[in-house]
Amino acid sequence: MHSTYFKMNKIIALLITLVLISSCGEKETGTVDAVIESNDLKSIRLKKSELVQKQNQLNEQIKRLDIAISTRDPAKKIPLVTTFQLEQQHFDHYIQLQGNVTTKDLLVIYPEFSGILSNVYVKEGQWVKKGEVLAKIDDGGLSQQLAQMKIQLDLAKTTFERQQRLWDQKIGSEMQYLQAKSNYEAQNQAIGQLEQQVAKTIITAPFSGTIDDVLTEQGNVVMPGQTPLMRLINLNNMYIVADVPEKYIANVTQHRKVEIEFPILGQKMESKVRQVGDFINPSNRTFRAEVAIPKKDSSIKPNLTVKLRINDYTNEKALLLPQSIISENASGEQYIYSIKDIENNDEATAQKMIIETGLTQGDMIEVLTGLEPGMEIVREGARSVNDCQKIKIIKQAS
């Protein structure tokens, strides 16, 4: 370092000496003091012009010496950078939403008949099949009434059939025949209506599932549509529901890829959008999306909170950059540095590239314009580089 500094001073001193010797051979207008004392404006201006010309010559020669020194000095400071080659990549962008687990097979069963809950045939946690009897309500004597009406129905039927045979033989009056027919049909309809009433006293399972909770105990009085009897649930057909902002309506479509996370359970899985609603909720400007749960898990319950990452944009040939290497100028333009003129000693020249960017995912951002595949881009050290500056590549980053 001391040897280099001594050589630099020696070169500068030699240059100054040469300039002085050469200037002695030129015709000068006199010393500065003599020219000023002459009080001749023309001479003063001429002397100033001579000095400015000599100053410009010295500055130019000093600049050349600086260049010579910088190219020969091993201790010169060149920014050290790493680079990577820009290649086309698959790029997926996701929107993050919150959803809830639900199922269509979740029902609180209410009675359709008022009376005393005389029997409950199931208990909590029990699996039942569709149509299986779950409970019975005291019918208040309707069963006995129904039995009596069926006896009367048999009599009305016998009477009608006898009158019909007589009428077919042209015996008896038409009025007797019609009256017997009317009595039989009315009795039949009355029994049908009473059977419907009695059927409402028997509670059956509308679908196969598990009795999650028995809400009303045996012996209590129940009222139609007011007294909950039990909760029936089937976890085999659960799915996730999320409200999606309307701005994503063109991108969040059926069969889009979805990443599911259950924060409480510490589970993650992948699925797809199985259905998208056609209605925009005017209160919050969202539409409904349903996501299938791909595998059965007893730990997943209805109303469980879920984090969703729905794929709304994909580019198979995207150019991606780390966001950390992008800078912005005073005009709001984004830029990065590529390299050119790579030498054998891994030195090159930095070149500023103005770019336009698109969507981000994690620490990567998609470049829309300004770059081409195959370019060598400065990564580490990008913040310390200037346009057209010499740089040293120390490592090829992957």
Side-chain angles (χ1 to χ4, degrees):
M1 178 69 73
H2 291 290
S3 174
T4 303
Y5 182 75
F6 175 76
K7 289 179 180 179
M8 182 179 68
N9 288 341
K10 187 174 180 181
I11 293 173
I12 294 175
L14 179 61
L15 175 63
I16 295 174
T17 303
L18 291 173
V19 171
L20 291 176
I21 293 174
S22 63
S23 63
C24 291
E26 296 177 359
K27 183 178 179 181
E28 296 186 354
T29 56
T31 64
V32 174
D33 292 338
V35 172
I36 293 175
E37 289 179 358
S38 69
N39 210 22
D40 182 10
L41 181 60
K42 184 177 179 180
S43 299
I44 294 174
R45 287 177 174 171
L46 181 60
K47 187 63 178 178
K48 179 183 177 182
S49 178
E50 290 176 358
L51 293 177
V52 169
Q53 184 178 3
K54 290 180 181 180
Q55 182 184 25
N56 291 337
Q57 291 175 351
L58 287 173
N59 289 338
E60 180 64 27
Q61 293 174 8
I62 290 173
K63 182 178 179 181
R64 292 174 59 191
L65 287 174
D66 286 339
I67 294 175
I69 292 170
S70 65
T71 57
R72 292 169 175 79
D73 186 3
K76 63 181 180 178
K77 294 183 179 179
I78 295 180
L80 303 179
V81 302
T82 63
T83 64
F84 68 95
Q85 191 173 51
L86 192 62
E87 297 178 351
Q88 292 179 335
Q89 303 178 48
H90 177 91
F91 176 63
D92 285 327
H93 181 265
Y94 294 86
I95 61 172
Q96 298 188 13
L97 300 171
Q98 180 172 302
N100 291 300
V101 177
T102 187
T103 175
K104 288 184 171 65
D105 295 336
L106 172 61
L107 180 66
V108 175
I109 300 175
Y110 287 85
E112 297 181 85
F113 190 85
S114 62
I116 297 174
L117 188 62
S118 57
N119 297 95
V120 176
Y121 302 112
V122 295
K123 58 184 179 179
E124 295 176 1
Q126 180 178 338
W127 175 265
V128 296
K129 295 181 179 179
K130 181 179 179 180
E132 184 175 339
V133 177
L134 307 178
K136 187 178 186 308
I137 301 172
D138 186 2
D139 58 20
L142 289 183
S143 297
Q144 292 83 355
Q145 184 180 346
L146 179 61
Q148 293 175 2
M149 291 183 67
K150 285 184 176 180
I151 296 174
Q152 294 174 2
L153 176 64
D154 290 339
L155 178 60
K157 181 180 180 182
T158 301
T159 302
F160 167 65
E161 289 175 348
R162 181 176 297 177
Q163 289 294 331
Q164 187 176 29
R165 287 194 297 270
L166 292 173
W167 178 248
D168 290 341
Q169 298 174 13
K170 304 300 182 180
I171 301 174
S173 67
E174 182 180 7
M175 183 61 67
Q176 290 175 326
Y177 165 72
L178 294 176
Q179 185 175 3
K181 180 180 179 182
S182 176
N183 288 339
Y184 172 63
E185 291 177 349
Q187 192 71 16
N188 210 4
Q189 290 180 359
I191 288 177
Q193 293 175 356
L194 191 58
E195 284 178 337
Q196 290 180 359
Q197 290 294 103
V198 173
K200 291 180 181 180
T201 65
I202 300 174
I203 311 300
T204 59
F207 54 84
S208 299
T210 302
I211 301 299
D212 184 62
D213 192 8
V214 176
L215 303 173
T216 302
E217 298 297 331
Q218 182 174 306
N220 290 332
V221 176
V222 297
M223 299 295 292
Q226 299 181 22
T227 309
L229 300 181
M230 56 194 70
R231 183 185 298 112
L232 179 64
I233 185 172
N234 189 328
L235 301 182
N236 294 331
N237 189 28
M238 291 190 297
Y239 59 97
I240 299 168
V241 175
D243 291 330
V244 185
E246 65 176 342
K247 66 179 180 179
Y248 298 114
I249 195 168
N251 297 330
V252 177
T253 55
Q254 195 173 13
H255 306 307
R256 280 285 188 179
K257 185 169 62 176
V258 182
E259 295 179 359
I260 305 171
E261 179 182 359
F262 301 94
I264 295 178
L265 304 178
Q267 293 187 29
K268 293 183 179 180
M269 57 184 71
E270 292 187 355
S271 183
K272 292 183 178 181
V273 176
R274 75 175 192 180
Q275 184 176 343
V276 176
D278 297 323
F279 174 74
I280 301 293
N281 189 333
S283 61
N284 57 10
R285 309 307 304 173
T286 62
F287 62 95
R288 178 187 175 107
E290 293 183 5
V291 178
I293 297 177
K295 61 181 181 180
K296 299 177 182 179
D297 191 325
S298 59
S299 61
I300 301 174
K301 310 292 185 184
N303 298 318
L304 190 65
T305 300
V306 184
K307 289 184 178 179
L308 300 177
R309 297 178 73 243
I310 302 179
N311 172 225
D312 68 323
Y313 170 76
T314 297
N315 186 351
E316 297 290 344
K317 297 181 179 180
L319 298 177
L320 304 179
L321 291 177
Q323 296 187 63
S324 58
I325 71 171
I326 299 177
S327 301
E328 189 172 306
N329 59 25
S331 302
E333 296 175 317
Q334 293 179 310
Y335 65 90
I336 54 94
Y337 289 100
S338 64
I339 62 172
K340 63 178 182 178
D341 303 332
I342 302 178
E343 301 174 2
N344 294 333
N345 59 354
D346 289 333
E347 290 186 4
T349 302
Q351 183 178 15
K352 180 186 287 188
M353 308 293 295
I354 302 297
I355 62 173
E356 291 184 9
T357 58
L359 297 172
T360 63
Q361 194 63 55
D363 62 344
M364 304 299 288
I365 188 167
E366 183 184 16
V367 179
L368 302 179
T369 61
L371 300 178
E372 296 292 337
M375 285 185 171
E376 203 75 18
I377 307 299
V378 176
R379 174 174 281 175
E380 297 177 15
R383 301 290 184 181
S384 60
V385 173
N386 294 317
D387 192 23
C388 300
Q389 184 180 15
K390 278 285 186 180
I391 58 175
K392 175 79 172 180
I393 304 172
I394 59 171
K395 179 182 177 183
Q396 290 290 336
S398 58

